[in-house]
Amino acid sequence: MKTENRWVEIPVPDELPHPTVMGAYVARPDAPGVFPGVVVAPELFGVNGHIEEVTRRIAALGHVAVAPDFHHRTEPRAALPYGDEGRAHGFELIDRLTRDGVVRDVAAAMAYLREYESTTARTGMVGFSVGGHFAFIAAARLDLAVTAAFYPGWLTSTDIPVSRPEPSLGLAAGIKGRLLILVGGADHAVTGGQVEQIGGELTAAGVRHELVVYPDTPHGFFCDERDTYRPEIAEDSWRRVTDLLSDLR
């Protein structure tokens, strides 16, 4: 399905007297109709070319997809290259984010989808790496019907500001929609012990979830611009995400 794609500006109610403005990349089917909305949360590299492509792929499935620029408060439109330099700068940027700020950004993106893009009532979210962490938090705090989190790091620790004051995994009881977590068995950011802890907490909280672990697979396996890309694993994970998002219809 062909898509229409553009950047938009979304007002975000913030702690300041006036709302901030967040850039976001939007893709929607190039066809008449009302479609479900999906929020796309990028890796620490921001809304770069890969995330724009993923947003278009989700739109081609029959959704209106929006990828918010979570770095809008500190470095608007940051789109970092993969590699050591981009990664180092990305960590500097995520160290300036807060949990409440991320929730406000996702809530603003959801409001935009419903008001300006005339989407259906049920909204989903797909996130990658730290964006998967964002998606987990949003699933616990907001009205998301389905959520997919690719290799969401730091859920069990307080190593980054969005994982404080308590580890984000402790928010699991607030998740009311379906949750899909996809992680590699050789992921340095989500170790085997953490995966076991995540699964146990989700089960104890009664969250409807599927936790998929791909053996001998590294972090970042979905991104075809990274040396950790694994085509067969990426294809299988995309099939699972496609099935999950079909529940929005």
Side-chain angles (χ1 to χ4, degrees):
M1 182 183 296
K2 293 183 178 180
T3 63
E4 296 178 345
N5 324 296
R6 67 193 188 283
W7 276 87
V8 300
E9 292 189 341
I10 300 173
V12 181
D14 220 328
E15 65 276 2
L16 302 174
H18 303 288
T20 56
V21 176
M22 172 177 68
Y25 183 78
V26 179
R28 64 173 299 131
D30 185 10
V34 178
F35 305 96
V38 178
V39 179
V40 182
E43 303 160 289
L44 55 76
F45 301 95
V47 184
N48 57 13
H50 170 67
I51 293 301
E52 290 183 351
E53 179 187 6
V54 170
T55 305
R56 293 191 295 269
R57 287 181 67 181
I58 292 174
L61 297 175
H63 308 285
V64 182
V66 56
D69 173 17
F70 289 98
H71 299 315
H72 66 93
R73 294 178 184 85
T74 54
E75 191 172 324
R77 295 285 189 98
L80 307 178
Y82 293 104
D84 292 342
E85 184 176 346
R87 183 179 297 105
H89 189 39
F91 272 110
E92 292 176 358
L93 293 179
I94 65 171
D95 277 345
R96 303 174 190 172
L97 299 176
T98 66
R99 180 179 288 175
D100 287 345
V102 166
V103 172
R104 283 193 293 270
D105 290 347
V106 177
M110 294 172 66
Y112 169 84
L113 285 169
R114 292 169 180 169
E115 182 174 357
Y116 294 101
E117 297 291 340
S118 301
T119 58
T120 59
R122 288 161 57 81
T123 305
M125 187 165 179
V126 180
F128 300 86
S129 192
V130 74
H133 191 133
F134 297 170
F136 187 96
I137 293 170
R141 291 282 186 87
L142 302 170
D143 183 23
L144 289 171
V146 299
T147 302
F150 282 79
Y151 27 86
W154 306 288
L155 288 178
T156 63
S157 72
T158 56
D159 292 341
I160 58 175
V162 297
S163 65
R164 302 171 193 152
E166 73 285 341
S168 299
L169 184 59
L171 305 174
I175 300 175
K176 306 306 179 188
R178 287 182 58 198
L179 175 65
L180 170 66
I181 294 181
L182 303 149
V183 64
D187 193 321
H188 68 281
V190 191
T191 64
Q194 292 171 352
V195 170
E196 184 177 350
Q197 186 178 350
I198 291 167
E201 186 69 24
L202 293 172
T203 298
V207 177
R208 292 174 295 157
H209 73 281
E210 182 180 10
L211 178 54
V212 180
V213 180
Y214 296 105
D216 303 318
T217 301
H219 191 82
F221 61 77
F222 187 78
C223 179
D224 60 2
E225 296 184 22
R226 303 181 67 165
D227 57 9
T228 53
Y229 176 56
R230 299 294 184 269
E232 293 183 0
I233 303 301
E235 181 179 356
D236 181 81
S237 61
W238 184 250
R239 175 186 60 79
R240 293 175 187 272
V241 169
T242 300
D243 289 345
L244 180 75
L245 294 179
S246 69
D247 279 359
L248 294 172
R249 299 183 179 281

